[in-house]
Amino acid sequence: MNKFSRRDLIKFGLVGSVSTAFFPSILRAQTGSPPVTPFTISMTVPPVLQPVSRNETTDFYEITMRPAQKEIIPGLLTTIWGYNGSFPGPTILARSDREVSIRQRNNLNVETSVHLHGGHTPPSSDGYPLDMIEPGEHKDYVYPNHQLPATLWYHDHVMDFTGRNVYQGLAGCYIISDDVEDAMPLPSGRYDIPLVIQDRQFNADGSLVYNAGAIAGFMGDRILVNGSVQPFFHVERRKYRFRILNGSNARRYQFSLSTGQQFIQIGSDGGLLSAPAARSTITLSPAERVDLVIDFAQQSTGSSIVLNNLLGTGSTAQVMQFRVMARAYGKWRQDKFSVPETLRPVQAIPPGDATVTRLFTLTGHSMINNMTFDPNRIDADPLLNATEIWTFQNQSGMHHPMHLHDIMFQVLDVNGGPPPAWDAGWKDTVNVPPGATIRIIGKFTDYTGLYVFHCHNLEHEDAGMMAQFMVS
Ligand code: C2O
Ligand code: CU
Ligand code: CU
């Protein structure tokens, strides 16, 4: 009992707990999910949550985390855990510098903690893994949104069980905009669509299969977009903005379009790039976001395009299908949208500003500097307003998407060379491939206190691949 904590034993299903109901399914022989014919399910867009009230400074929301049943595999019901019972959770629309306050009520029978991924948030609202909401309790999270417009997401972050809770459905989009971005001619309104991409595996009865002990992280054999398996989506012959979130626990994707057409990438985790980048393929690790424009005007009405995953095989090689229709009538008849040649300037942080450098090695399957997470140990102690350079050196044989809370950073170099243009914007998660060394630079502004940083392969995170920094 000295090597494993009680939480480890619960996690791997070795002792009873509130979560045992969840485990019988994972111990069953895994034969693959019931079949789903690709592109037969219509994609939905998660609902936008309306505030319960507003005042001069703040929009107030209320969310209840609760179980719900959803038909994901046709003819079967799957029990998910959802924010307001929705999978993915409802989208929250926020504005830069306008506060959002969310009362999160936990009507599940497990502890939860809600983290705004990409949020520049005081520690008290950051969803620290041990800052838990007990079943039946609630907590108010306050987000100042004193940050650039970007596609963020909120998801569960509870100690040791983040992977399970996110897999069960606790994740949703949180999109920040501002007047500057509104004034740009980018596709907007019904032509600006989030795509939450996740993989899941199902038992024959429709229940979810999960295994927290998977060394490489848990990967499902079905790809879901906004909660639907390999859906189709009707698009008009015009430009669309898609905000793609890799909300998978462990799976990496390499996207391409079946027509060979390029994506026009306009943003990354932390918002718009300084200039658009045309890309034939885009690789996305867990928690990373890419903001892009696809122009369907070149396609003929009635044709279809598949969003492929070049890292997948069989049922995971195709993500979704776009079905091209004529443009709508009325005020949307013309496509007045365009992608400006310059977007929002990203000022490179001069390396000379850094006063401290730190090295973090990624070893074993879940260690940082040869240690697993210890809430009683501070692993880095940046001063408020200090700029620091952190080096991630991957000495393991696996990819580790490294994520920092609190700040957006910039990738300084990848194996000594500059990052590609599309990775040179603001980031909060950077994949560190096996053997790679990546340096990031960032400034710790506004808030003091305790934050975590970790591998965003959620099974790695839960196995201890997490550390913490105290800003003072
Ligand atoms: Cu998206 Cu610490 O998490
Ligand atoms: Cu985060
Ligand atoms: Cu990892």
Side-chain angles (χ1 to χ4, degrees):
M1 282 300 282
N2 37 19
K3 186 127 186 286
F4 294 99
S5 67
R6 179 178 155 75
R7 277 185 163 268
D8 287 324
L9 297 174
I10 293 171
K11 183 163 49 177
F12 298 112
L14 301 175
V15 298
S17 77
V18 280
S19 55
T20 40
F22 185 73
F23 284 103
S25 61
I26 72 168
L27 301 173
R28 230 174 273 159
Q30 295 177 10
T31 51
S33 301
V36 176
T37 310
F39 321 137
T40 52
I41 301 170
S42 175
M43 189 187 86
T44 53
V45 177
V48 172
L49 192 63
Q50 296 306 314
V52 291
S53 64
R54 301 168 188 267
N55 66 23
E56 286 287 285
T57 57
T58 309
D59 294 343
F60 295 89
Y61 291 90
E62 285 179 13
I63 292 179
T64 301
M65 294 170 255
R66 60 175 177 86
Q69 295 211 302
K70 178 170 170 159
E71 185 176 348
I72 300 174
I73 305 282
L76 298 174
L77 287 178
T78 302
T79 300
I80 58 94
W81 297 346
Y83 294 109
N84 284 347
S86 161
F87 170 60
T91 299
I92 292 163
L93 298 181
R95 301 288 287 180
S96 289
D97 293 316
R98 179 170 171 80
E99 191 175 78
V100 162
S101 173
I102 306 180
R103 172 156 298 186
Q104 288 278 6
R105 194 174 299 279
N106 181 3
N107 280 5
L108 297 165
N109 63 2
V110 297
E111 295 156 331
T112 60
S113 173
V114 186
H115 170 58
L116 178 60
H117 181 121
H120 180 43
T121 301
S124 55
S125 286
D126 191 51
Y128 184 77
L130 291 166
D131 184 6
M132 297 184 282
I133 313 175
E134 298 296 326
E137 302 293 317
H138 70 264
K139 175 178 162 78
D140 292 332
Y141 292 86
V142 180
Y143 305 125
N145 297 311
H146 181 48
Q147 59 187 108
L148 288 170
T151 306
L152 313 185
W153 60 304
Y154 61 105
H155 64 77
D156 193 74
H157 214 303
V158 80
M159 190 69 203
D160 290 344
F161 296 98
T162 294
R164 179 198 66 188
N165 287 4
V166 172
Y167 189 86
Q168 281 289 87
L170 293 173
C173 290
Y174 184 106
I175 297 172
I176 307 180
S177 58
D178 73 351
D179 293 344
V180 175
E181 202 168 305
D182 286 356
M184 294 184 185
L186 293 167
S188 59
R190 59 198 272 209
Y191 305 106
D192 173 358
I193 293 181
L195 302 177
V196 180
I197 301 185
Q198 300 175 305
D199 57 343
R200 294 291 184 269
Q201 187 170 335
F202 301 87
N203 289 301
D205 64 359
S207 59
L208 285 166
V209 175
Y210 180 63
N211 176 7
I215 299 291
F218 187 76
M219 284 185 256
D221 59 358
R222 291 289 174 266
I223 307 297
L224 283 65
V225 185
N226 295 342
S228 296
V229 178
Q230 286 179 308
F232 67 86
F233 184 59
H234 280 121
V235 292
E236 299 169 27
R237 296 182 56 239
R238 60 187 309 141
K239 292 177 212 70
Y240 281 75
R241 176 179 186 172
F242 293 108
R243 303 165 184 265
I244 302 183
L245 158 66
N246 181 354
S248 309
N249 281 30
R251 183 179 290 280
R252 299 167 58 242
Y253 300 84
Q254 186 175 27
F255 301 114
S256 73
L257 292 169
S258 58
T259 51
Q261 188 183 338
Q262 290 188 310
F263 306 104
I264 308 300
Q265 184 178 343
I266 57 172
S268 56
D269 305 341
L272 292 176
L273 301 173
S274 49
R279 303 179 65 186
S280 300
T281 68
I282 292 179
T283 303
L284 219 55
S285 294
E288 285 187 301
R289 285 88 70 207
V290 67
D291 198 338
L292 49 83
V293 171
I294 302 177
D295 190 352
F296 296 102
Q298 271 44 266
Q299 311 301 327
S300 49
T301 301
S303 66
S304 62
I305 303 183
V306 174
L307 179 66
N308 287 317
N309 169 26
L310 301 179
L311 297 180
T313 54
S315 61
T316 61
Q318 295 181 314
V319 177
M320 66 177 292
Q321 180 195 52
F322 300 105
R323 295 188 186 168
V324 183
M325 314 182 300
R327 279 200 289 273
Y329 288 93
K331 66 169 179 161
W332 298 110
R333 185 73 182 129
Q334 247 129 52
D335 184 357
K336 297 210 176 91
F337 298 127
S338 62
V339 180
E341 271 167 44
T342 58
L343 295 161
R344 176 157 355 214
V346 177
Q347 287 292 15
I349 307 175
D353 285 4
T355 48
V356 176
T357 63
R358 302 180 196 272
L359 171 66
F360 298 100
T361 60
L362 313 176
T363 52
H365 98 270
S366 287
M367 292 196 286
I368 298 174
N369 286 346
N370 292 310
M371 292 177 285
T372 53
F373 183 68
D374 180 350
N376 298 312
R377 185 188 69 228
I378 305 292
D379 301 278
D381 54 357
L383 292 175
L384 187 64
N385 291 321
T387 298
E388 300 200 354
I389 293 173
W390 289 16
T391 303
F392 293 114
Q393 203 177 76
N394 188 345
Q395 302 172 359
S396 80
M398 282 182 282
H399 291 267
H400 297 295
M402 297 304 294
H403 167 56
L404 269 67
H405 285 214
D406 182 29
I407 65 165
M408 287 288 173
F409 55 77
Q410 294 174 359
V411 177
L412 211 53
D413 44 46
V414 178
N415 296 325
W422 55 82
D423 275 339
W426 293 105
K427 296 278 293 168
D428 59 43
T429 305
V430 63
N431 187 53
V432 189
T437 297
I438 290 185
R439 291 197 309 156
I440 62 168
I441 186 166
K443 187 172 181 182
F444 297 84
T445 55
D446 298 319
Y447 312 116
T448 56
L450 192 59
Y451 296 92
V452 293
F453 63 104
H454 56 89
C455 176
H456 220 290
N457 179 316
L458 298 181
E459 286 70 42
H460 291 182
E461 175 185 335
D462 284 341
M465 199 165 196
M466 180 161 71
Q468 55 187 358
F469 60 93
M470 171 77 89
V471 182
S472 58

PDB file of all heavy atoms in Angstrom, residues 215-216 362 364-367 394 396 398-402 431-432 454-461 465, ligand 3:
ATOM      1  N   ILE A 215      -1.300   2.975 -20.893  1.00  0.00           N
ATOM      2  CA  ILE A 215      -0.010   3.664 -20.795  1.00  0.00           C
ATOM      3  C   ILE A 215       0.119   4.810 -21.796  1.00  0.00           C
ATOM      4  O   ILE A 215       0.617   5.876 -21.482  1.00  0.00           O
ATOM      5  CB  ILE A 215       1.157   2.657 -21.018  1.00  0.00           C
ATOM      6  CG1 ILE A 215       1.115   1.555 -19.940  1.00  0.00           C
ATOM      7  CG2 ILE A 215       2.505   3.365 -21.014  1.00  0.00           C
ATOM      8  CD1 ILE A 215       1.454   2.003 -18.549  1.00  0.00           C
ATOM      9  N   ALA A 216      -0.338   4.582 -23.010  1.00  0.00           N
ATOM     10  CA  ALA A 216      -0.237   5.636 -24.028  1.00  0.00           C
ATOM     11  C   ALA A 216      -1.423   6.596 -23.940  1.00  0.00           C
ATOM     12  O   ALA A 216      -1.561   7.486 -24.768  1.00  0.00           O
ATOM     13  CB  ALA A 216      -0.150   5.020 -25.419  1.00  0.00           C
ATOM     14  N   LEU A 362      10.844  15.127 -19.407  1.00  0.00           N
ATOM     15  CA  LEU A 362       9.649  14.282 -19.456  1.00  0.00           C
ATOM     16  C   LEU A 362      10.154  12.857 -19.588  1.00  0.00           C
ATOM     17  O   LEU A 362      10.784  12.509 -20.585  1.00  0.00           O
ATOM     18  CB  LEU A 362       8.778  14.681 -20.650  1.00  0.00           C
ATOM     19  CG  LEU A 362       8.539  16.190 -20.786  1.00  0.00           C
ATOM     20  CD1 LEU A 362       7.752  16.511 -22.044  1.00  0.00           C
ATOM     21  CD2 LEU A 362       7.836  16.756 -19.549  1.00  0.00           C
ATOM     22  N   GLY A 364       9.847   8.468 -18.353  1.00  0.00           N
ATOM     23  CA  GLY A 364       8.954   7.362 -18.031  1.00  0.00           C
ATOM     24  C   GLY A 364       7.669   7.536 -18.804  1.00  0.00           C
ATOM     25  O   GLY A 364       7.661   8.091 -19.887  1.00  0.00           O
ATOM     26  N   HIS A 365       6.559   7.081 -18.262  1.00  0.00           N
ATOM     27  CA  HIS A 365       5.323   7.391 -18.980  1.00  0.00           C
ATOM     28  C   HIS A 365       4.586   8.534 -18.341  1.00  0.00           C
ATOM     29  O   HIS A 365       3.691   9.095 -18.933  1.00  0.00           O
ATOM     30  CB  HIS A 365       4.455   6.149 -19.245  1.00  0.00           C
ATOM     31  CG  HIS A 365       3.334   5.908 -18.284  1.00  0.00           C
ATOM     32  ND1 HIS A 365       3.475   5.167 -17.156  1.00  0.00           N
ATOM     33  CD2 HIS A 365       2.043   6.308 -18.310  1.00  0.00           C
ATOM     34  CE1 HIS A 365       2.313   5.114 -16.522  1.00  0.00           C
ATOM     35  NE2 HIS A 365       1.426   5.803 -17.193  1.00  0.00           N
ATOM     36  N   SER A 366       4.995   8.958 -17.181  1.00  0.00           N
ATOM     37  CA  SER A 366       4.227  10.023 -16.547  1.00  0.00           C
ATOM     38  C   SER A 366       5.014  10.862 -15.540  1.00  0.00           C
ATOM     39  O   SER A 366       4.480  11.257 -14.518  1.00  0.00           O
ATOM     40  CB  SER A 366       3.007   9.434 -15.838  1.00  0.00           C
ATOM     41  OG  SER A 366       2.053   9.041 -16.780  1.00  0.00           O
ATOM     42  N   MET A 367       6.270  11.146 -15.857  1.00  0.00           N
ATOM     43  CA  MET A 367       7.025  11.920 -14.881  1.00  0.00           C
ATOM     44  C   MET A 367       7.600  13.206 -15.476  1.00  0.00           C
ATOM     45  O   MET A 367       7.947  13.277 -16.640  1.00  0.00           O
ATOM     46  CB  MET A 367       8.127  11.056 -14.277  1.00  0.00           C
ATOM     47  CG  MET A 367       7.535   9.931 -13.415  1.00  0.00           C
ATOM     48  SD  MET A 367       8.715   9.171 -12.335  1.00  0.00           S
ATOM     49  CE  MET A 367       9.631   8.232 -13.526  1.00  0.00           C
ATOM     50  N   ASN A 394      11.928  15.968 -23.862  1.00  0.00           N
ATOM     51  CA  ASN A 394      11.215  14.686 -23.811  1.00  0.00           C
ATOM     52  C   ASN A 394      12.198  13.538 -23.959  1.00  0.00           C
ATOM     53  O   ASN A 394      12.731  13.286 -25.034  1.00  0.00           O
ATOM     54  CB  ASN A 394      10.157  14.639 -24.917  1.00  0.00           C
ATOM     55  CG  ASN A 394       9.259  13.421 -24.795  1.00  0.00           C
ATOM     56  OD1 ASN A 394       9.583  12.465 -24.068  1.00  0.00           O
ATOM     57  ND2 ASN A 394       8.155  13.434 -25.500  1.00  0.00           N
ATOM     58  N   SER A 396      11.307  10.471 -23.210  1.00  0.00           N
ATOM     59  CA  SER A 396      10.502   9.251 -23.251  1.00  0.00           C
ATOM     60  C   SER A 396      10.164   8.909 -24.696  1.00  0.00           C
ATOM     61  O   SER A 396      10.472   9.664 -25.607  1.00  0.00           O
ATOM     62  CB  SER A 396       9.199   9.464 -22.464  1.00  0.00           C
ATOM     63  OG  SER A 396       8.268  10.171 -23.253  1.00  0.00           O
ATOM     64  N   MET A 398       7.140   8.683 -25.891  1.00  0.00           N
ATOM     65  CA  MET A 398       5.756   9.076 -26.205  1.00  0.00           C
ATOM     66  C   MET A 398       5.634  10.580 -26.383  1.00  0.00           C
ATOM     67  O   MET A 398       6.421  11.347 -25.839  1.00  0.00           O
ATOM     68  CB  MET A 398       4.835   8.638 -25.066  1.00  0.00           C
ATOM     69  CG  MET A 398       4.497   7.164 -25.096  1.00  0.00           C
ATOM     70  SD  MET A 398       3.358   6.741 -23.773  1.00  0.00           S
ATOM     71  CE  MET A 398       4.481   6.687 -22.392  1.00  0.00           C
ATOM     72  N   HIS A 399       4.590  10.972 -27.108  1.00  0.00           N
ATOM     73  CA  HIS A 399       4.270  12.396 -27.225  1.00  0.00           C
ATOM     74  C   HIS A 399       3.708  12.893 -25.893  1.00  0.00           C
ATOM     75  O   HIS A 399       2.930  12.194 -25.251  1.00  0.00           O
ATOM     76  CB  HIS A 399       3.210  12.611 -28.301  1.00  0.00           C
ATOM     77  CG  HIS A 399       3.701  12.341 -29.686  1.00  0.00           C
ATOM     78  ND1 HIS A 399       4.224  13.335 -30.489  1.00  0.00           N
ATOM     79  CD2 HIS A 399       3.777  11.205 -30.413  1.00  0.00           C
ATOM     80  CE1 HIS A 399       4.568  12.810 -31.662  1.00  0.00           C
ATOM     81  NE2 HIS A 399       4.321  11.515 -31.633  1.00  0.00           N
ATOM     82  N   HIS A 400       4.096  14.112 -25.531  1.00  0.00           N
ATOM     83  CA  HIS A 400       3.508  14.718 -24.336  1.00  0.00           C
ATOM     84  C   HIS A 400       3.087  16.153 -24.643  1.00  0.00           C
ATOM     85  O   HIS A 400       3.935  17.046 -24.735  1.00  0.00           O
ATOM     86  CB  HIS A 400       4.507  14.709 -23.165  1.00  0.00           C
ATOM     87  CG  HIS A 400       4.904  13.335 -22.723  1.00  0.00           C
ATOM     88  ND1 HIS A 400       4.013  12.443 -22.154  1.00  0.00           N
ATOM     89  CD2 HIS A 400       6.091  12.685 -22.782  1.00  0.00           C
ATOM     90  CE1 HIS A 400       4.646  11.305 -21.871  1.00  0.00           C
ATOM     91  NE2 HIS A 400       5.906  11.426 -22.247  1.00  0.00           N
ATOM     92  N   PRO A 401       1.791  16.395 -24.823  1.00  0.00           N
ATOM     93  CA  PRO A 401       1.317  17.768 -25.031  1.00  0.00           C
ATOM     94  C   PRO A 401       1.345  18.534 -23.703  1.00  0.00           C
ATOM     95  O   PRO A 401       0.516  18.277 -22.828  1.00  0.00           O
ATOM     96  CB  PRO A 401      -0.113  17.575 -25.550  1.00  0.00           C
ATOM     97  CG  PRO A 401      -0.521  16.202 -25.097  1.00  0.00           C
ATOM     98  CD  PRO A 401       0.723  15.386 -24.939  1.00  0.00           C
ATOM     99  N   MET A 402       2.290  19.440 -23.562  1.00  0.00           N
ATOM    100  CA  MET A 402       2.486  20.120 -22.280  1.00  0.00           C
ATOM    101  C   MET A 402       1.660  21.405 -22.223  1.00  0.00           C
ATOM    102  O   MET A 402       1.664  22.207 -23.154  1.00  0.00           O
ATOM    103  CB  MET A 402       3.969  20.422 -22.060  1.00  0.00           C
ATOM    104  CG  MET A 402       4.830  19.157 -21.960  1.00  0.00           C
ATOM    105  SD  MET A 402       4.294  17.983 -20.663  1.00  0.00           S
ATOM    106  CE  MET A 402       4.613  18.962 -19.183  1.00  0.00           C
ATOM    107  N   ASN A 431       2.826  20.374 -28.107  1.00  0.00           N
ATOM    108  CA  ASN A 431       3.196  18.959 -28.105  1.00  0.00           C
ATOM    109  C   ASN A 431       4.711  18.825 -28.138  1.00  0.00           C
ATOM    110  O   ASN A 431       5.387  19.466 -28.948  1.00  0.00           O
ATOM    111  CB  ASN A 431       2.591  18.246 -29.313  1.00  0.00           C
ATOM    112  CG  ASN A 431       2.834  16.754 -29.232  1.00  0.00           C
ATOM    113  OD1 ASN A 431       2.512  16.124 -28.228  1.00  0.00           O
ATOM    114  ND2 ASN A 431       3.442  16.187 -30.265  1.00  0.00           N
ATOM    115  N   VAL A 432       5.228  17.986 -27.239  1.00  0.00           N
ATOM    116  CA  VAL A 432       6.664  17.709 -27.227  1.00  0.00           C
ATOM    117  C   VAL A 432       6.836  16.261 -27.686  1.00  0.00           C
ATOM    118  O   VAL A 432       6.561  15.329 -26.931  1.00  0.00           O
ATOM    119  CB  VAL A 432       7.262  17.920 -25.818  1.00  0.00           C
ATOM    120  CG1 VAL A 432       8.786  17.836 -25.880  1.00  0.00           C
ATOM    121  CG2 VAL A 432       6.835  19.269 -25.232  1.00  0.00           C
ATOM    122  N   HIS A 454       1.007  20.580 -16.841  1.00  0.00           N
ATOM    123  CA  HIS A 454       0.935  19.124 -16.945  1.00  0.00           C
ATOM    124  C   HIS A 454       0.889  18.664 -18.383  1.00  0.00           C
ATOM    125  O   HIS A 454       0.662  19.454 -19.304  1.00  0.00           O
ATOM    126  CB  HIS A 454      -0.314  18.612 -16.204  1.00  0.00           C
ATOM    127  CG  HIS A 454      -1.607  19.222 -16.663  1.00  0.00           C
ATOM    128  ND1 HIS A 454      -2.350  18.690 -17.680  1.00  0.00           N
ATOM    129  CD2 HIS A 454      -2.266  20.346 -16.256  1.00  0.00           C
ATOM    130  CE1 HIS A 454      -3.437  19.444 -17.868  1.00  0.00           C
ATOM    131  NE2 HIS A 454      -3.404  20.466 -17.022  1.00  0.00           N
ATOM    132  N   CYS A 455       1.056  17.352 -18.542  1.00  0.00           N
ATOM    133  CA  CYS A 455       0.816  16.741 -19.835  1.00  0.00           C
ATOM    134  C   CYS A 455      -0.694  16.666 -20.013  1.00  0.00           C
ATOM    135  O   CYS A 455      -1.411  16.284 -19.096  1.00  0.00           O
ATOM    136  CB  CYS A 455       1.423  15.346 -19.884  1.00  0.00           C
ATOM    137  SG  CYS A 455       1.037  14.501 -21.439  1.00  0.00           S
ATOM    138  N   HIS A 456      -1.184  17.032 -21.206  1.00  0.00           N
ATOM    139  CA  HIS A 456      -2.633  17.016 -21.436  1.00  0.00           C
ATOM    140  C   HIS A 456      -3.121  15.707 -22.042  1.00  0.00           C
ATOM    141  O   HIS A 456      -4.269  15.585 -22.449  1.00  0.00           O
ATOM    142  CB  HIS A 456      -3.089  18.206 -22.271  1.00  0.00           C
ATOM    143  CG  HIS A 456      -4.390  18.793 -21.805  1.00  0.00           C
ATOM    144  ND1 HIS A 456      -5.591  18.129 -21.964  1.00  0.00           N
ATOM    145  CD2 HIS A 456      -4.680  19.950 -21.160  1.00  0.00           C
ATOM    146  CE1 HIS A 456      -6.558  18.882 -21.447  1.00  0.00           C
ATOM    147  NE2 HIS A 456      -6.032  19.980 -20.952  1.00  0.00           N
ATOM    148  N   ASN A 457      -2.233  14.709 -22.124  1.00  0.00           N
ATOM    149  CA  ASN A 457      -2.729  13.351 -22.293  1.00  0.00           C
ATOM    150  C   ASN A 457      -3.323  13.026 -20.922  1.00  0.00           C
ATOM    151  O   ASN A 457      -2.602  12.926 -19.931  1.00  0.00           O
ATOM    152  CB  ASN A 457      -1.559  12.416 -22.631  1.00  0.00           C
ATOM    153  CG  ASN A 457      -1.997  10.981 -22.798  1.00  0.00           C
ATOM    154  OD1 ASN A 457      -2.792  10.467 -22.006  1.00  0.00           O
ATOM    155  ND2 ASN A 457      -1.457  10.326 -23.810  1.00  0.00           N
ATOM    156  N   LEU A 458      -4.648  12.941 -20.844  1.00  0.00           N
ATOM    157  CA  LEU A 458      -5.285  12.964 -19.526  1.00  0.00           C
ATOM    158  C   LEU A 458      -4.970  11.743 -18.685  1.00  0.00           C
ATOM    159  O   LEU A 458      -4.982  11.821 -17.452  1.00  0.00           O
ATOM    160  CB  LEU A 458      -6.798  13.156 -19.677  1.00  0.00           C
ATOM    161  CG  LEU A 458      -7.201  14.486 -20.334  1.00  0.00           C
ATOM    162  CD1 LEU A 458      -8.724  14.593 -20.416  1.00  0.00           C
ATOM    163  CD2 LEU A 458      -6.631  15.679 -19.590  1.00  0.00           C
ATOM    164  N   GLU A 459      -4.663  10.629 -19.335  1.00  0.00           N
ATOM    165  CA  GLU A 459      -4.261   9.457 -18.544  1.00  0.00           C
ATOM    166  C   GLU A 459      -2.854   9.678 -17.974  1.00  0.00           C
ATOM    167  O   GLU A 459      -2.547   9.211 -16.875  1.00  0.00           O
ATOM    168  CB  GLU A 459      -4.334   8.178 -19.384  1.00  0.00           C
ATOM    169  CG  GLU A 459      -5.778   7.715 -19.638  1.00  0.00           C
ATOM    170  CD  GLU A 459      -6.558   8.614 -20.590  1.00  0.00           C
ATOM    171  OE1 GLU A 459      -5.974   9.039 -21.608  1.00  0.00           O
ATOM    172  OE2 GLU A 459      -7.736   8.922 -20.323  1.00  0.00           O
ATOM    173  N   HIS A 460      -2.006  10.382 -18.707  1.00  0.00           N
ATOM    174  CA  HIS A 460      -0.695  10.737 -18.152  1.00  0.00           C
ATOM    175  C   HIS A 460      -0.870  11.706 -16.979  1.00  0.00           C
ATOM    176  O   HIS A 460      -0.253  11.550 -15.931  1.00  0.00           O
ATOM    177  CB  HIS A 460       0.194  11.387 -19.218  1.00  0.00           C
ATOM    178  CG  HIS A 460       0.624  10.447 -20.298  1.00  0.00           C
ATOM    179  ND1 HIS A 460       1.452  10.825 -21.326  1.00  0.00           N
ATOM    180  CD2 HIS A 460       0.338   9.137 -20.511  1.00  0.00           C
ATOM    181  CE1 HIS A 460       1.658   9.790 -22.139  1.00  0.00           C
ATOM    182  NE2 HIS A 460       0.992   8.755 -21.653  1.00  0.00           N
ATOM    183  N   GLU A 461      -1.710  12.708 -17.191  1.00  0.00           N
ATOM    184  CA  GLU A 461      -1.949  13.687 -16.126  1.00  0.00           C
ATOM    185  C   GLU A 461      -2.431  12.985 -14.854  1.00  0.00           C
ATOM    186  O   GLU A 461      -1.913  13.212 -13.766  1.00  0.00           O
ATOM    187  CB  GLU A 461      -2.994  14.708 -16.600  1.00  0.00           C
ATOM    188  CG  GLU A 461      -3.407  15.701 -15.527  1.00  0.00           C
ATOM    189  CD  GLU A 461      -4.538  16.628 -15.983  1.00  0.00           C
ATOM    190  OE1 GLU A 461      -4.673  16.840 -17.204  1.00  0.00           O
ATOM    191  OE2 GLU A 461      -5.260  17.130 -15.125  1.00  0.00           O
ATOM    192  N   MET A 465       1.584  13.020 -14.194  1.00  0.00           N
ATOM    193  CA  MET A 465       2.434  13.859 -15.040  1.00  0.00           C
ATOM    194  C   MET A 465       1.968  15.309 -14.959  1.00  0.00           C
ATOM    195  O   MET A 465       1.500  15.904 -15.923  1.00  0.00           O
ATOM    196  CB  MET A 465       2.414  13.367 -16.480  1.00  0.00           C
ATOM    197  CG  MET A 465       3.600  13.891 -17.260  1.00  0.00           C
ATOM    198  SD  MET A 465       3.812  12.986 -18.787  1.00  0.00           S
ATOM    199  CE  MET A 465       5.490  13.504 -19.177  1.00  0.00           C
TER     200      MET A 465
HETATM  201 CU    CU B   3       2.112  12.675 -21.630  1.00  0.00          CU
END
